[in-house]
Amino acid sequence: EMEAKYSRKMQALRDEMDLRRKTEIHELEERKNTQISELMGNHEGAFGAIKNFYNDITAKNLTLINLLKEQVEELKKKEAVLEKEKADVLRQNKGLTEPLQEAQELVAELQKKLVHYNRDKEALMNSKAHLKITQKELKDLQWEHEVLEQRFSKVQAERDELYQKFTKAINEVQQKTGFKNLLLERKLQALLSLLEQKEVELSEAIAGSNLDPSALSLVSHKLEDVLSSKNATIKDLQLQLARVCKAHNDMLQTFEAKLTAFGIPVDNLGFQPLSFPIPGQ
């Protein structure tokens, strides 16, 4: 009974499960059919849209192809025209080659002339600038020349005046110096002669007198004093004569230096200045 009972339950459960399985399978098939229908609808819509899109693209491409064909035809026509023009231009170029070469040679020659012209132009500008500087220097030199001529005339007048004064002064100094030297020499000779005479007289007086040695010694001392005084006078006169001769010679040297400075030869004086030897030299 339990086995029969469970068999019945098993059969009932199997039937229930089969029914549920069939129901679920039916539901799955319905959902599948629904999804298939939706997918097909969607695919058909997408295919239609794609078809329309590609149809538009195809139409546009056809239109573009036709337009490009027309443009290609026009370009071919233009190419033919350009080829013809090219041939004409090539013929013209062949005809212009020789003149072009001559023109190029002429341009090269003109460029060389232009270079020489620029050099000559620059040299001319430099020469003009140098000429302006030279003209300015010439004006300055002319002005300096005029100034120097005026100064030369003034210096020449001063030289002539100084020459006359120096000539006159030389003559006067020579006369005075010569006269003074002559007086000093004569005075010196007179003193020497007087000294010799006094020495002779003294010797005669000493020889003629029979003086004792003490008196003779006193007289000798006095005589030596007198001789020392005379010798001092002689030396003084000689020093004066030497100073006068030196001053005269210095004056002559100064005069000759002035004449040389003014460009006057000493021979133009007309006389030879006397140069006195300094006593004792």
Side-chain angles (χ1 to χ4, degrees):
E1 290 177 359
M2 289 180 66
E3 184 176 358
K5 182 181 180 181
Y6 279 103
S7 294
R8 289 192 298 275
K9 286 184 178 180
M10 179 66 72
Q11 186 65 38
L13 181 62
R14 183 179 287 115
D15 294 337
E16 185 180 357
M17 294 298 292
D18 286 335
L19 181 61
R20 186 181 294 178
R21 177 176 61 82
K22 289 178 181 180
T23 302
E24 289 179 358
I25 289 172
H26 181 70
E27 290 178 356
L28 286 173
E29 286 180 355
E30 287 181 356
R31 286 198 298 271
K32 179 185 73 172
N33 291 329
T34 303
Q35 289 179 357
I36 289 171
S37 298
E38 289 178 357
L39 287 173
M40 289 180 69
N42 292 332
H43 288 172
E44 287 179 359
F47 178 73
I50 291 171
K51 186 177 180 181
N52 293 329
F53 174 73
Y54 282 106
N55 287 332
D56 293 337
I57 291 176
T58 303
K60 289 180 180 178
N61 288 334
L62 290 174
T63 304
L64 182 62
I65 288 169
N66 293 326
L67 180 62
L68 290 174
K69 285 182 179 180
E70 292 176 358
Q71 291 179 357
V72 166
E73 293 295 331
E74 291 179 359
L75 289 174
K76 285 182 179 180
K77 292 179 182 179
K78 289 182 180 180
E79 184 178 3
V81 174
L82 290 174
E83 287 291 334
K84 185 178 180 180
E85 292 178 355
K86 178 182 176 181
D88 295 336
V89 170
L90 288 174
R91 285 195 298 272
Q92 292 177 2
N93 287 337
K94 288 181 180 179
L96 294 174
T97 300
E98 186 176 353
L100 176 63
Q101 186 175 2
E102 294 177 357
Q104 287 177 348
E105 293 177 356
L106 180 61
V107 168
E109 185 178 358
L110 290 175
Q111 285 179 349
K112 292 181 180 179
K113 290 183 179 180
L114 179 62
V115 172
H116 292 297
Y117 172 74
N118 291 329
R119 290 181 182 175
D120 295 338
K121 185 177 179 181
E122 185 177 359
L124 180 62
M125 292 176 65
N126 293 331
S127 299
K128 286 182 178 180
H130 185 66
L131 179 62
K132 289 182 180 179
I133 296 173
T134 306
Q135 288 178 349
K136 186 177 183 300
E137 291 179 354
L138 178 62
K139 289 182 180 179
D140 295 338
L141 290 174
Q142 288 177 350
W143 181 77
E144 291 180 359
H145 179 69
E146 292 178 359
V147 173
L148 289 174
E149 281 185 348
Q150 295 177 0
R151 290 179 61 186
F152 176 74
S153 301
K154 184 177 180 181
V155 170
Q156 195 171 13
E158 292 177 355
R159 182 201 65 183
D160 296 338
E161 183 180 358
L162 186 62
Y163 174 75
Q164 294 176 0
K165 289 182 180 179
F166 266 111
T167 304
K168 185 177 180 182
I170 282 291
N171 292 329
E172 292 178 355
V173 170
Q174 280 187 342
Q175 291 177 1
K176 291 180 181 179
T177 306
F179 182 70
K180 190 172 183 180
N181 289 341
L182 182 61
L183 290 178
L184 290 174
E185 288 179 356
R186 288 183 179 180
K187 190 174 181 181
L188 181 60
Q189 291 177 0
L191 289 174
L192 291 173
S193 299
L194 181 62
L195 178 60
E196 291 177 355
Q197 183 181 355
K198 294 296 183 181
E199 287 179 351
V200 171
E201 290 178 356
L202 179 61
S203 299
E204 291 177 354
I206 292 172
S209 63
N210 295 321
L211 297 174
D212 55 355
S214 59
L216 185 61
S217 176
L218 181 61
V219 171
S220 297
H221 284 302
K222 289 183 179 181
L223 182 59
E224 288 178 358
D225 294 337
V226 172
L227 289 175
S228 298
S229 176
K230 296 299 182 180
N231 288 330
T233 303
I234 290 170
K235 288 181 179 180
D236 187 23
L237 291 174
Q238 288 178 346
L239 289 174
Q240 291 182 9
L241 180 61
R243 282 196 296 270
V244 171
C245 291
K246 187 177 183 304
H248 177 73
N249 293 335
D250 292 341
M251 185 269 296
L252 286 179
Q253 291 178 359
T254 303
F255 178 69
E256 290 176 356
K258 289 292 184 181
L259 290 179
T260 304
F262 284 103
I264 303 172
V266 182
D267 298 336
N268 291 345
L269 289 175
F271 61 90
Q272 183 66 33
L274 296 178
S275 178
F276 294 105
I278 299 175
Q281 295 184 359

